[in-house]
Amino acid sequence: MKFIPAQLAYVLEDREAKQNLGALLRFVGGLFASIGVFSVIFHSIMVYEGQSHSWVTGVYWTLTVMSTLGFGDITFQSDLGRAFSVVVLLYGIVMLLIVAPFAFIRYFYAPWLEAQIRMRAPREMPTDTENHVIICGYDAIVEGFVKRLVDLEISYVIIEPDPTAAAALHVDGHIVVTGRRDVRETYELVRADRARLILANLSDAENTNIVVTIRQISTEVPIVAFAENVDSVDVLELAGAMHVIPLKQRLGEQLAARVTAGTQSAHRIGRFEDLIIAEFPIHGTALVGRTIRDTNLRKLTGLNVVGVWERGHLEPAGPETVLSEHSVPVVVGTEEQITELDALFVIYHEVDAPVLVIGGGSVGRSVTEALRERGARVTVLDSDESVRDSFANCADKVVIGDAANLQTVKAAGIDEAPSVVLTTNDDATNIFLSVYARGLSSDAHIVSRITHDWNLEAIHRAGADFALSRASLAVQILVSMVLGRDLVVVGEGTELIVEPVPKRLVGKKLGSSEIGSRTGMNVIGIRANGEFMANPAASTELEAGSELVMIGTVEQRQSFLNLRKS
């Protein structure tokens, strides 16, 4: 009952609601007018037949006939009267049984129901809210980001200006506040001055307005803004954004880092304290076909192989794991140890053939520029003639044509290319091109972007060696910022996870904990008493209060949490 005044206020104040009520009142007025007219005609015909009835009887007769009740206590004797009765009856059927319900639903009940829905959306956060994450819009990236925040037990709120959409999010279980994103009051109501982080994830222009508005409240709260165009980075920083992320450029850089080109070397995925996480392709090296034990990598460099990428799946690495042509081992160790690993590959010849980049959009350009900085040669293939000019200063060769045409991809050098990078923004196209490229070159290292994570399995089955989505990358970047640690991009769906040692494992040796066998996660370090131990041995005892640093998927993390609860 307490919401009824608010709902009435909405119905009476909203412009469209006022128009709807006006239309409904006009209909009701017309209906009453017709009843009055029919009552007058009723009296006239009754006088013509010599009958006498009161005005109330006239209204009574009109309503009984229009509503099809037809009591029959008052009837006409003449054909004129009966014809009039038929007219009133048909008019009543149309107006009362068809038009009236429609008008009531359309002009009153639907707006009232909408008002009820809109009133469900909260207008502000509790006054004691603090250390939360404020998100300025809901999309595919935020969907994944919110799931990670919930897993990390970090509070958040989504700002949605449309009350109906906000109510729908609220019903789905999200913490949401409805309000305009371009007014100071909204950010005051979500307690922006006490937030852990604010994410501006709309268009560049809207993000700039959001940043400027928030800076009126607080000059210190961390604001992270996405930038569609690289040129907008400076503008957003001038507006007051603390971190600006050009996602397409970052995606291109991550894809380029997985490309086999130039001198063979390990790719640094990221850092956790003093621990470096890296991966290296073994295609064309003497490691192909050997077990991890036979490689002697730990003996030669001190590095620990914690996993092996096999066509999109991070498989556990054991001493007897056999490395295939397309295997990409993941290792952890110090910077000096990674450098020693690079030194082992200097005996292999430098790959001089150009990398083939299919797709000349923003991501393709970022991939090309990143590869050129590494000294690699690049050929770009696209169907748009305008790409030729935009890549004139960064690509060695630009081929215009259909990537599905055999002569075109042959002219682009797919036979010699050590790597093929697929950067179109359509998953179906990238899957098609993966199959096509793998069929033409069984040795090429295929790297692709994807838009939807549900296509990850499909694109790996199609032949891609590595795939990464913009949404997955964005979530990993945001989580690392929220936790205040360096970015570690292991791969699509796989990330660095830090969790306390379960009570049931305290006092046990790492080797007998069964963490790997029961959850699939790889323990790469242990943090205890302010110190970090990289590559812990199987004989390491797990202590109370220590934390495990692991690599795994979100699903594997959930298995670990279940292990901790059991």
Side-chain angles (χ1 to χ4, degrees):
M1 295 297 293
K2 65 180 181 179
F3 293 110
I4 292 179
Q7 294 167 7
L8 286 175
Y10 164 75
V11 172
L12 295 176
E13 293 177 6
D14 184 76
R15 181 178 179 182
E16 184 178 357
K18 288 181 179 179
Q19 293 175 346
N20 290 336
L21 285 177
L24 181 62
L25 291 175
R26 287 192 295 272
F27 168 77
V28 173
L31 187 63
F32 277 106
S34 62
I35 292 173
V37 171
F38 289 149
S39 298
V40 172
I41 297 176
F42 167 83
H43 275 280
S44 300
I45 297 177
M46 281 297 180
V47 170
Y48 168 76
E49 293 184 355
Q51 299 186 54
S52 177
H53 295 282
S54 66
W55 288 104
V56 174
T57 303
V59 174
Y60 162 78
W61 177 88
T62 301
L63 290 175
T64 57
V65 173
M66 286 181 64
S67 62
T68 71
L69 290 175
F71 292 130
D73 54 341
I74 303 173
T75 59
F76 288 107
Q77 303 301 319
S78 65
D79 290 341
L80 175 62
R82 289 167 180 164
F84 174 64
S85 298
V86 172
V87 171
V88 175
L89 177 64
L90 294 176
Y91 181 83
I93 291 174
V94 173
M95 296 301 290
L96 292 183
L97 301 184
I98 300 175
V99 178
F102 172 80
F104 175 78
I105 294 173
R106 169 66 178 83
Y107 297 118
F108 182 79
Y109 181 73
W112 176 269
L113 187 62
E114 183 179 356
Q116 286 184 309
I117 295 174
R118 287 172 176 258
M119 288 303 109
R120 294 179 186 175
R123 263 54 181 178
E124 65 177 311
M125 293 290 286
T127 55
D128 60 347
T129 301
E130 61 181 0
N131 205 31
H132 56 301
V133 176
I134 299 174
I135 305 168
C136 295
Y138 189 80
D139 54 19
I141 293 174
V142 171
E143 183 178 0
F145 182 41
V146 163
K147 290 179 181 178
R148 293 294 290 115
L149 291 176
V150 172
D151 289 341
L152 296 168
E153 298 181 351
I154 296 174
S155 61
Y156 71 93
V157 60
I158 302 169
I159 298 176
E160 173 54 58
D162 182 359
T164 303
L169 289 172
H170 180 66
V171 170
D172 289 340
H174 292 294
I175 304 173
V176 62
V177 163
T178 184
R180 291 177 55 181
R181 302 188 186 102
D182 57 351
V183 296
R184 174 174 177 169
E185 180 184 6
T186 300
Y187 299 99
E188 291 175 341
L189 292 175
V190 297
R191 320 306 169 192
D193 57 325
R194 300 196 297 270
R196 175 195 291 247
L197 181 143
I198 300 176
L199 173 62
N201 58 328
L202 304 175
S203 67
D204 293 349
E206 289 176 298
N207 288 344
T208 303
N209 193 2
I210 288 171
V211 174
V212 171
T213 304
I214 294 173
R215 285 297 174 229
Q216 298 176 23
I217 302 173
S218 173
T219 59
E220 298 179 355
V221 61
I223 303 176
V224 178
F226 289 155
E228 283 292 320
N229 300 311
V230 178
D231 295 337
S232 300
V233 173
D234 291 339
V235 177
L236 287 164
E237 289 178 344
L238 288 172
M242 195 170 293
H243 305 281
V244 181
I245 307 170
L247 277 179
K248 291 182 179 179
Q249 182 181 16
R250 294 289 182 268
L251 178 60
E253 292 170 353
Q254 289 294 329
L255 293 176
R258 265 68 180 195
V259 168
T260 302
T263 304
Q264 200 90 320
S265 62
H267 163 58
R268 278 74 167 167
I269 295 174
R271 174 190 295 271
F272 186 85
E273 297 192 5
D274 295 329
L275 185 68
I276 304 295
I277 306 169
E279 61 184 22
F280 62 100
I282 62 170
H283 170 69
T285 71
L287 301 183
V288 175
R290 301 170 67 177
T291 65
I292 291 179
R293 186 196 304 277
D294 293 338
T295 63
N296 289 322
L297 284 178
R298 185 165 189 135
K299 181 178 179 181
L300 294 172
T301 65
L303 291 169
N304 186 29
V305 180
V306 297
V308 179
W309 282 107
E310 293 287 356
R311 293 288 172 82
H313 295 279
L314 185 63
E315 305 292 346
E320 303 305 321
T321 301
V322 179
L323 301 176
S324 67
E325 185 75 19
H326 294 281
S327 296
V328 181
V330 178
V331 296
V332 294
T334 64
E335 181 64 46
E336 293 75 15
Q337 291 170 337
I338 300 295
T339 303
E340 290 180 13
L341 176 65
D342 291 337
L344 295 178
F345 290 100
V346 296
I347 61 174
Y348 297 101
H349 69 278
E350 181 175 339
V351 180
D352 188 51
V355 174
L356 177 57
V357 177
I358 301 179
S362 301
V363 176
R365 183 176 181 83
S366 178
V367 169
T368 302
E369 291 174 346
L371 290 174
R372 291 288 291 173
E373 289 181 4
R374 286 168 49 185
R377 297 169 58 202
V378 182
T379 297
V380 176
L381 172 58
D382 197 277
S383 59
D384 189 354
E385 181 65 38
S386 63
V387 168
R388 192 183 301 277
D389 294 332
S390 61
F391 280 83
N393 297 325
C394 59
D396 296 272
K397 182 180 179 181
V398 178
V399 177
I400 304 300
D402 185 2
N405 181 274
L406 180 60
Q407 293 182 342
T408 302
V409 293
K410 289 280 188 181
I414 194 170
D415 294 330
E416 299 82 21
S419 294
V420 178
V421 189
L422 309 176
T423 67
T424 75
N425 59 3
D426 180 71
D427 286 356
T429 300
N430 288 336
I431 292 171
F432 171 82
L433 292 175
S434 293
V435 174
Y436 193 50
R438 180 57 68 206
L440 293 173
S441 178
S442 59
D443 294 332
H445 189 72
I446 300 176
V447 176
S448 176
R449 68 173 289 189
I450 58 172
T451 301
H452 305 292
D453 55 3
W454 56 79
N455 286 318
L456 184 63
E457 288 288 338
I459 201 161
H460 284 299
R461 287 198 304 269
D465 295 287
F466 180 84
L468 185 64
S469 70
R470 178 171 174 262
S472 176
L473 176 61
V475 170
Q476 294 186 55
I477 292 174
L478 293 172
V479 170
S480 65
M481 287 183 172
V482 169
L483 297 178
R485 67 188 187 200
D486 293 335
L487 174 65
V488 179
V489 182
V490 182
E492 184 72 30
T494 306
E495 55 190 70
L496 188 72
I497 298 170
V498 181
E499 290 291 339
V501 173
K503 291 182 179 179
R504 64 186 301 270
L505 297 182
V506 172
K508 287 188 175 184
K509 306 294 184 182
L510 178 60
S512 61
S513 66
E514 298 182 335
I515 293 175
S517 61
R518 297 187 61 178
T519 69
M521 300 237 277
N522 295 292
V523 179
I524 63 174
I526 298 176
R527 184 163 54 186
N529 301 321
E531 297 183 357
F532 180 72
M533 178 192 303
N535 293 330
S539 59
T540 303
E541 182 176 321
L542 301 178
E543 301 176 359
S546 59
E547 293 179 315
L548 298 173
V549 182
M550 301 169 287
I551 291 178
T553 65
V554 175
E555 292 76 15
Q556 290 171 342
R557 178 182 181 273
Q558 188 58 50
S559 298
F560 179 84
L561 294 179
N562 294 336
L563 176 66
R564 193 171 69 183
K565 295 175 183 177
S566 61

